[in-house]
């Protein structure tokens, strides 16, 4: 069924599967254009995390003496299942309101050009480790790596400028986009460790309101 195929494609995209486009690695990133749906998804994710934590604690504290096990309170189990469904529903709604952009690995000489334009700052230890200016290089690489196409969930072109989409990214999307550009270009960095769980969505700090 078409709906099933679209959902399967959404789930594949969420895994950020790297593909080859024109012989070089590329990756597609989803950006939700509806801030309300993005916030709904964030809230659903938070509730699922809390419900799963409560369930894990309940399971860890059940009485296993005498070879038996006291059942977990069914309300706790129900909360976790309801939260799981809420996330799935919120993801589907957010994906329906999303556009997708591609990041493609630059040719070696182009990558080196961007790198030379953003050298590590003198006296900055973290820059020295990364071998680039951590405040400017990731953004520049993201913009240079972005293909000039914007797609809908079915892969059809959307009449939007990719650089405008990047400009309007939320903080969370920027972190994800920069990290994706670094990864697709084969550059590992600890720059985004603190944001490793950021979703590819317009968060509560989104400019799209």
């Amino acid at each position: 069924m078409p709906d099933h195929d679209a959902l399967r494609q959404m789930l594949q995209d969420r895994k950020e599967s790297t593909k080859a486009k024109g012989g070089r690695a590329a990756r597609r990133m989803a950006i939700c254009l509806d801030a309300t749906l993005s916030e709904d998804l964030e809230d659903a994710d938070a509730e699922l995390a809390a419900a799963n934590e409560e369930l894990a604690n309940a399971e860890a504290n059940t009485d296993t003496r005498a070879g038996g096990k006291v059942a977990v309170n069914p309300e706790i189990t129900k909360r976790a299942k309801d939260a799981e469904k809420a996330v799935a529903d919120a993801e589907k709604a957010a994906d329906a309101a999303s556009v997708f952009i591609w990041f493609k690995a630059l040719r070696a000489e182009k990558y080196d050009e961007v790198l030379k334009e953003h050298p590590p700052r003198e006296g900055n230890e973290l820059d020295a480790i990364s071998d680039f200016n951590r405040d400017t290089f990731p953004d520049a690489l993201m913009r240079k790596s972005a293909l000039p196409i914007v797609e809908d969930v079915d892969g059809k072109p959307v009449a939007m400028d990719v650089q405008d989409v990047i400009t309007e990214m939320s903080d969370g999307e920027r972190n994800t986009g920069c990290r994706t550009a670094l990864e697709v270009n084969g550059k590992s960095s600890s720059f985004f460790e603190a944001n490793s769980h950021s979703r590819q969505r317009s968060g509560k700090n989104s400019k799209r309101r």
Side-chain angles (χ1 to χ4, degrees), residues 5-170:
D5 291 340
L7 179 57
R8 184 170 55 206
Q9 182 63 53
M10 292 177 204
L11 294 174
Q12 183 65 22
D13 290 332
R14 184 159 287 105
K15 295 177 182 176
E16 295 186 329
S17 297
T18 300
K19 302 179 180 180
K21 287 176 75 69
R24 298 196 301 280
R27 189 170 296 180
R28 196 164 84 149
M29 174 181 168
I31 301 173
C32 184
L33 302 179
D34 189 314
T36 299
L37 293 178
S38 294
E39 290 180 10
D40 290 345
L41 181 53
E42 283 188 0
D43 292 341
D45 278 333
E47 167 60 16
L48 178 58
N52 283 338
E53 182 178 3
E54 181 184 28
L55 180 59
N57 289 335
E59 290 176 341
N61 292 320
T62 52
D63 192 348
T64 58
R65 290 173 295 182
K69 185 171 182 178
V70 177
V72 174
N73 185 330
E75 289 300 319
I76 296 177
T77 302
K78 182 178 183 301
R79 180 191 178 192
K81 289 183 178 179
D82 288 347
E84 214 170 289
K85 182 180 184 304
V87 167
D89 291 343
E91 285 181 340
K92 188 172 182 179
D95 281 333
S98 293
V99 293
F100 296 78
I101 63 176
W102 283 92
F103 295 108
K104 182 177 179 180
L106 299 176
R107 294 186 183 280
E109 61 271 22
K110 291 292 184 183
Y111 179 89
D112 288 343
E113 286 178 11
V114 181
L115 194 61
K116 288 178 182 177
E117 292 171 357
H118 303 273
R121 291 162 290 189
E122 186 176 351
N124 190 305
E125 294 182 5
L126 295 177
D127 278 12
I129 293 172
S130 298
D131 198 30
F132 54 71
N133 184 320
R134 290 158 65 93
D135 283 349
T136 62
F137 176 71
D139 279 301
L141 183 65
M142 175 173 61
R143 288 185 175 276
K144 291 289 186 181
S145 300
L147 294 180
I149 56 174
V150 181
E151 301 175 342
D152 63 18
V153 69
D154 297 317
K156 297 178 182 178
V158 177
M160 296 177 71
D161 185 282
V162 68
Q163 295 301 327
D164 289 342
V165 173
I166 291 175
T167 298
E168 291 299 311
M169 280 181 171
S170 67

